[in-house]
Each structure stands twice: as C-alpha cells, then as structure tokens.
Amino acid sequence: MTTLTAGWPLVLACPLLFSAYSQAANGFIEDSHLVIGSRSTVLNSQMKGDGHQRFAHDRRDPRDVSLGMRANFASGFTQGPLGFGLDAYGFAGFKLDGGDGHAGYGNIQMNHEGEAQRSFGRAGVLIKARHGQTELRYGQMQVTNPVFATSDTRLFPSTATGWLLANRDIEGLLVETGRFTAGTEPSSTSNKGELWANYAFVPTDSVGFAGGRYESRDWSVSLYGAQFEDLWRQAYLGGSYLWEREDRSRIALDLNLYHTRDEGRANAGDIRTTAYSAQLAYSLGRHRLMVAYQRIIGGTPFDYIGFGNNGSGAFGNSIYLSNPIMASDFNGPNEKSWQLRYDLDMAPSGFPGLSFMGRYVFGYDIQRSDNSHYGAWDGADDAQHQELDLEARYVVQSGSAKDLRIRLREGLHDARRGQPDGDVNMHMLILEWPLNCF
C-alpha cells in the first residue's frame, strides 16, 4: 500500500520549499532554508478478514490521534569550483490518544511490549558537495525514483541512509546513481533500521541503483536498474506523452514496465516477475476521465522495498504502476486490474480551488503464490478484490487562511476468495496549512 490506509487524519504541514538539487551559488548561508511545520493525524479505520495480518504489528482496527513537529534545514553551498553544504532534520511526535491495541500503524512509536509511546523523536543529517551541475549527497535523506523511493504518507516520512550522486548537465535530463544500506520507518527513533522486501519480509544489506529520466514539454522517458543484494535485480522503463488538441482538450498517455529476477542467494526465493501498466486520460475543461490497466506476470506478487522495522508496514513508494491506491497495490501473483477514474475541477464554474475525484479499481485472476515467502496468497484461488475511493478537495484562495488545503476521502476495499488485503473501510479528513518558513 502506498498511501495512508486509515481514517480521519487531521494534517497541519509546512511544505518543503527548497529543491532537492539547488542551482543557486550565492553561498552557504545566503542560500539556506529553514522549514518548520506540524502534522496532526486522527485515524479511525475498520478492517475485516486477514488482510492486515500481513504486517507484523497484528493489531485491531488502527485508531489513534497524534501530533508531529518537523524542522528541515537545507544549506546553500560554499563558493568556489567545489562547494560544500549540509542538510538536517528533526522530528518530534506525540500521542494524543489511542489505545495500545489500536495505536501505531506508522504514526505512533510502539515499544517491544506493543505499548504506544507518549512521545518520540529523531534527527538526521547529510553532507553534500557540488561541482557544476553534479551533486553528491551522503547521509539520511528522502529518495524518489521508480526503483528506490521513500514515502511521506504517515506522521513523518521514511528515510534512507546512503549516498546519492546526480547530474543535470543537459537541460531536461537527470542522471543519478546511489547505494543505501539502512532505512528508517516513520515512527522510529533510530536511523539504523533495515531495508527489506515489503511483502516477503526479508531484509537486504544494501540496495544500489542507476538510471535517469529525460523530460521535454510534451513527453518524458525514464530508465532505471537496481540490485537488491541477495534478493532481486530489477529494471524499469517508463514513459509519458501529452497531446494538446486544438479544442483545448488534452490526451495523456503513461506507460510503466518492471522486470524483476532473483539475485545472489535469492533470500526471498525464486522471483521471476514482470509488471506493467498503461493509462490513458482525456481532459476537457473542468472534466478529466482516466482508464488504466495493470498486469502482474509471475508466481509472486510485485514486491518493492520497505524501510525500518521489518514487517511494520509498507513505508516505501517505489511502485510506479497505475493501480496502487489507498488500501491495495493490486499486485498479486498473475493479477490483472482495471481502473476507472473521474476528476472534476470546479474553477470554471466559479469555485476556484474546489475539485472532486472518484475512482474504482477491480482486480481479478489472482493465483496462490508458488513462493513460500509470499504465504499471504496461499488461500488465493482465482481471487478478486475491488476498491472505491471518493475524494473532495479545496484550497483556500485568499485571506488569512490562504493556501489552506482541505481533503475529504472515503475508501472502501472488498476482498474475495482469499485476497489477503481483507475488507477495509476508511474515512479520511486532511488539513494542510503552511506555517512560518524562512
């Protein structure tokens, strides 16, 4: 699962305003940014069946109230041909409500006895160097690419520890490579957690990757390769194209393809999986209609990297397919899935900032896994499942509450014939409001 699968969160956040690859060269202090924000969540979710038993926390319906404070600092670079700088962050989380049997789910830290902690926090730092358009970073960081991506869907983001080298010498082209050896889940106080397979619950000592993406006005293409030590090797190819039509309508095409094979000692067993998705969207005025198809080929689900405490939850986001949504990734062995989505922008009707979204995904032909590391699918026999998400969003356009973002979401997931995600009913309220940033 790539998004928060619980109900009624209340979020206050100050968004990051600095780029991951700063291009300014005024100096270490002159180009520094300090971003301070808070995020509060109130969760109330109902689960039935054994879907949530896939995760090690093994709790009842997730329900908790939590408050998180964030401070993110990004320096500029020292002047000269080779510039140096550093980034740092500090997080502090507080449990406002939530019993031990329901709390957690990535928002509140749990001790070894399964008790919810009243407060927790962590800090991290990275050092960076830049020469021209080439930048090297080492330390704790958030990473975003198709084969290795942290996520920010809980009270705090997950982070990874390692190095990342990126180059932007050619306009529109990003080339990057990195190697990471540790990860941190959102509710952890340690920066020395594991990297592990989200669905096989098997750790890896390191993940290395290389690749890049090129973007123009109308199209983009990405190519990446990764090695998860003694787990698997993975290749990714993706692309998009946008047609601007004379009637001011738009047609957008997105394609994604993964190819995964076991590697080294194959600690997650025999893996031979191909996953792909294609989506086509048509936009005209205030309306947008999208249809997507996703296919998993192989006797194991499409798996991807997790961060921190092994089995604690899906705290990675390196699944650039069309149909992973709130409650499910629709990534079971040999699974096929379709999505239909509709977006409505109310600005042309005189309500700027107001929009609506509805989407439905149906997955079918799911088979039991032929790999013992993916036992959650042992009961699958032509399994099926479906999910319906409804959402309303509003961004305040002016006044003292300008840029306040309000989001209401209802999600319903229904599992059949041994599909392991179970029946889930989630309700979500999110408020995002910038705080002082300087």
Side-chain angles (χ1 to χ4, degrees):
M1 291 169 283
T2 59
T3 56
L4 186 62
T5 56
W8 299 114
L10 170 64
V11 177
L12 298 176
C14 184
L16 296 179
L17 300 180
F18 48 85
S19 170
Y21 302 104
S22 173
Q23 302 300 313
N26 293 323
F28 183 93
I29 300 298
E30 291 81 355
D31 292 330
S32 295
H33 301 272
L34 177 63
V35 181
I36 300 174
S38 70
R39 175 178 289 176
S40 178
T41 68
V42 181
L43 306 178
N44 184 6
S45 179
Q46 299 82 46
M47 293 182 172
K48 297 180 181 179
D50 294 331
H52 56 299
Q53 306 297 330
R54 290 195 296 108
F55 301 118
H57 52 61
D58 191 19
R59 297 186 188 94
R60 301 187 298 273
D61 298 341
R63 299 170 188 168
D64 60 54
V65 183
S66 55
L67 170 66
M69 303 297 297
R70 304 182 181 197
N72 291 274
F73 171 78
S75 78
F77 291 89
T78 58
Q79 295 183 346
L82 183 62
F84 295 92
L86 66 86
D87 294 353
Y89 70 83
F91 300 152
F94 306 91
K95 185 193 80 166
L96 304 182
D97 191 16
D100 294 336
H102 296 280
Y105 212 66
N107 287 320
I108 296 175
Q109 187 188 33
M110 312 296 290
N111 64 17
H112 295 297
E113 286 73 39
E115 299 170 334
Q117 301 301 287
R118 292 187 177 275
S119 62
F120 66 97
R122 77 175 192 264
V125 65
L126 67 83
I127 57 175
K128 56 188 180 182
R130 188 181 67 191
H131 177 71
Q133 299 299 310
T134 301
E135 185 174 321
L136 174 65
R137 295 172 168 241
Y138 175 76
Q140 292 118 38
M141 67 190 82
Q142 294 175 254
V143 185
T144 302
N145 66 58
V147 293
F148 190 87
T150 57
S151 67
D152 190 6
T153 58
R154 301 298 197 266
L155 194 65
F156 300 125
S158 55
T159 58
T161 301
W163 60 264
L164 179 66
L165 178 67
N167 177 270
R168 292 181 180 270
D169 277 333
I170 300 175
E171 184 179 359
L173 176 65
L174 166 66
V175 179
E176 61 179 353
T177 182
R179 183 176 183 272
F180 292 84
T181 56
T184 302
E185 63 189 281
S187 60
S188 177
T189 59
S190 170
N191 289 313
K192 298 181 180 180
E194 293 180 308
L195 302 174
W196 47 279
N198 255 329
Y199 288 86
F201 305 135
V202 177
T204 179
D205 289 336
S206 67
V207 178
F209 62 84
R213 68 176 181 268
Y214 180 79
E215 299 178 344
S216 72
R217 189 179 71 90
D218 297 325
W219 61 275
S220 68
V221 62
S222 299
L223 178 64
Y224 280 84
Q227 177 175 317
F228 300 71
E229 185 177 349
D230 289 326
L231 290 184
W232 62 69
R233 294 191 182 196
Q234 188 174 83
Y236 169 84
L237 175 63
S240 65
Y241 194 86
L242 178 65
W243 288 272
E244 298 275 2
R245 297 163 54 87
E246 293 181 357
D247 60 357
R248 297 185 179 181
S249 65
R250 304 169 67 184
I251 300 175
L253 174 67
D254 290 278
L255 303 171
N256 299 278
L257 173 66
Y258 286 93
H259 186 66
T260 307
R261 291 292 183 268
D262 55 83
E263 188 273 337
R265 296 176 180 172
N267 291 335
D270 183 23
I271 297 176
R272 299 178 181 275
T273 303
T274 298
Y276 66 86
S277 68
Q279 70 178 54
L280 186 65
Y282 177 74
S283 302
L284 177 62
R286 61 180 183 171
H287 305 281
R288 180 178 181 269
L289 183 66
M290 186 270 284
V291 62
Y293 177 72
Q294 180 174 301
R295 177 79 163 93
I296 311 298
I297 303 172
T300 58
F302 176 80
D303 208 346
Y304 54 97
I305 201 69
F307 299 86
N309 180 25
N310 193 343
S312 57
F315 300 131
N317 204 27
S318 45
I319 177 169
Y320 282 29
L321 298 172
S322 295
N323 291 347
I325 52 175
M326 288 181 65
S328 179
D329 288 329
F330 290 85
N331 63 331
N334 293 298
E335 179 168 3
K336 308 177 184 73
S337 60
W338 287 92
Q339 178 180 173
L340 182 64
R341 172 171 172 160
Y342 173 68
D343 292 83
L344 177 64
D345 182 4
M346 297 299 294
S349 300
F351 299 94
L354 178 63
S355 61
F356 299 93
M357 182 276 292
R359 63 188 174 195
Y360 172 78
V361 181
F362 177 67
Y364 58 102
D365 282 353
I366 307 166
Q367 306 301 318
R368 65 182 61 195
S369 175
D370 57 14
N371 183 331
S372 61
H373 292 279
Y374 296 93
W377 280 268
D378 282 349
D381 184 12
D382 290 326
Q384 300 177 356
H385 59 143
Q386 58 186 342
E387 181 172 340
L388 174 66
D389 296 336
L390 301 174
E391 184 174 279
R393 295 170 296 226
Y394 180 67
V395 181
V396 178
Q397 302 294 296
S398 61
S400 58
K402 188 178 185 297
D403 295 329
L404 171 66
R405 292 171 170 83
I406 305 170
R407 183 167 64 173
L408 293 169
R409 176 181 287 184
E410 173 79 13
L412 299 170
H413 180 267
D414 175 43
R416 306 170 185 172
R417 302 177 187 171
Q419 198 283 329
D421 287 325
D423 296 339
V424 183
N425 185 355
M426 48 196 141
H427 318 280
M428 186 175 292
L429 168 64
I430 302 174
L431 302 180
E432 294 182 304
W433 197 6
L435 299 178
N436 295 326
C437 302
F438 51 90

